[in-house]
Amino acid sequence: MSNTQANPTDYNTEIPPTWCPGCGNFAIWAALKNALTSLGLKPWQCVIVFGIGCSGNMTDFIRSHGFHALHGRGIPVAEAVKLTNHKLQVIVVAGDGDTYGEGMGHFIAATRGNHDIKLLVHNNHVYGLTTGQSSPTTIKGTKTKSTPQGVIEIEANPLALAISSGATFISRAFAGDIPHTQLLISQALQHRGFALVDILQPCVTFNREQSYAWYGERIYKLEDTGYKPNDRQKSFVKAMETEKIPLGVFLKEEKPAYHEEIAFLKENPLVEHSIASIDLNPALEEFL
Ligand code: SF4
């Protein structure tokens, strides 16, 4: 690949996506490639850590440094990559089950630490890859394969959780609007610290409730209302709205990222530190 201007097709692999026709994942895939390209980022400057799920299958369809993590463990892998080489743009692509179910503890820890990773959640309100069981964001009362009488629990509110845990960039997109999704991903990529883009992603095969039309009747953009994303309490109130669904940036704050608080990473990334002068013998003596 040449060192010229990046192009979205630079991120394509030889493998065409295998998602169901009409799946919202296609739009997120396009928006992510467009956002990376618009910022002049080349595939070798990015590490994308994928979770398990239909969204995680993107690992086959996008060219960059990458890692396909265990279920729910994409976030700590991404944190480790960033701490090792903070010059890289580090992104997590995962689903709602992966992130807000198996990975919920890691999600909260990443927000509290302001780790400089960008989390794109394909939120389709079900476990799609395993054919439609309820996930933490499935709306109460919804009948799924695993809840034939309807979900009993109330749905998790990831934006409210992130806001209350100290996250510094919190946003919501809709996969039916590629330019707006691209815009929010671009803003997340430029944020210093942890950034969440929760992307409402219709699963046309296993979630017939939250369809493109269902979202079309409910979504609106915060920026069209004069909303300013600079007040944590107001952002919490917006995150708690359910009848109408706000999209856009809920909150943006400037704070040092996790790696910026570590003194010996100030000058160089860990990967550039010399290990020639490190004497491991004292540490090893204990085991001799
Ligand atoms: Fe997309 Fe749902 Fe098909 Fe998975 S099962 S590829 S989320 S439409």
Side-chain angles (χ1 to χ4, degrees):
M1 196 177 298
S2 71
N3 205 25
T4 55
Q5 184 69 32
N7 185 300
T9 57
D10 292 344
Y11 287 90
N12 288 348
T13 67
E14 295 75 27
I15 304 169
T18 52
W19 295 307
C20 307
C23 174
N25 286 336
F26 286 98
I28 302 171
W29 178 61
L32 173 58
K33 292 188 295 176
N34 290 346
L36 291 167
T37 305
S38 70
L39 297 176
L41 285 161
K42 306 290 176 58
W44 61 85
Q45 296 171 312
C46 309
V47 179
I48 307 181
V49 180
F50 298 91
I52 301 296
C54 292
S55 57
N57 289 351
M58 196 191 292
T59 189
D60 290 331
F61 319 137
I62 198 161
R63 184 194 306 278
S64 73
H65 296 300
F67 191 95
H68 206 164
L70 295 175
H71 209 188
R73 311 300 174 214
I75 288 172
V77 170
E79 290 168 352
V81 171
K82 191 72 189 186
L83 285 172
T84 305
N85 187 355
H86 58 254
K87 288 184 178 174
L88 292 167
Q89 179 68 256
V90 183
I91 302 161
V92 179
V93 169
D96 48 296
D98 189 290
T99 307
Y100 306 137
E102 289 80 2
M104 180 59 100
H106 298 303
F107 172 65
I108 298 297
T111 63
R112 290 176 49 233
N114 200 29
H115 284 269
D116 192 15
I117 60 175
K118 318 307 164 195
L119 175 60
L120 313 183
V121 181
H122 298 219
N123 186 354
N124 57 25
H125 304 284
V126 288
Y127 283 91
L129 190 67
T130 50
T131 71
Q133 295 79 15
S134 66
S135 84
T137 57
T138 308
I139 295 173
K140 180 176 171 62
T142 305
K143 293 181 178 174
T144 71
K145 279 188 176 169
S146 57
T147 57
Q149 305 302 320
V151 173
I152 294 171
E153 302 98 325
I154 59 164
E155 56 275 16
N157 187 326
L159 277 72
L161 285 165
I163 291 165
S164 61
S165 303
T168 54
F169 184 97
I170 298 155
S171 66
R172 183 191 281 138
F174 171 49
D177 186 340
I178 295 178
H180 192 243
T181 302
Q182 175 187 335
L183 178 72
L184 293 175
I185 294 175
S186 297
Q187 291 180 12
L189 292 172
Q190 294 174 83
H191 179 67
R192 174 185 172 211
F194 179 85
L196 169 67
V197 188
D198 183 74
I199 307 169
L200 304 172
Q201 176 246 314
C203 168
V204 295
T205 303
F206 293 113
N207 183 349
R208 302 295 173 89
E209 300 283 331
Q210 280 75 49
S211 63
Y212 288 95
W214 187 92
Y215 283 120
E217 291 167 4
R218 289 164 175 80
I219 55 174
Y220 73 94
K221 291 178 180 162
L222 288 169
E223 55 266 39
D224 292 344
T225 67
Y227 177 83
K228 298 277 184 287
N230 56 6
D231 184 308
R232 191 168 291 273
Q233 290 193 352
K234 286 183 180 162
S235 73
F236 193 85
V237 172
K238 280 292 165 195
M240 293 302 288
E241 278 186 22
T242 51
E243 291 205 0
K244 288 287 181 184
I245 304 175
L247 305 177
V249 180
F250 286 63
L251 185 67
K252 179 169 168 53
E253 275 183 358
E254 295 300 328
K255 278 205 297 197
Y258 189 95
H259 68 272
E260 293 172 329
E261 305 256 24
I262 300 174
F264 70 89
L265 293 181
K266 288 233 184 300
E267 296 200 355
N268 291 313
L270 188 60
V271 72
E272 293 178 8
H273 286 218
S274 170
I275 58 172
S277 61
I278 296 177
D279 182 5
L280 286 176
N281 287 321
L284 293 174
E285 273 167 11
E286 182 185 347
F287 302 101
L288 294 177

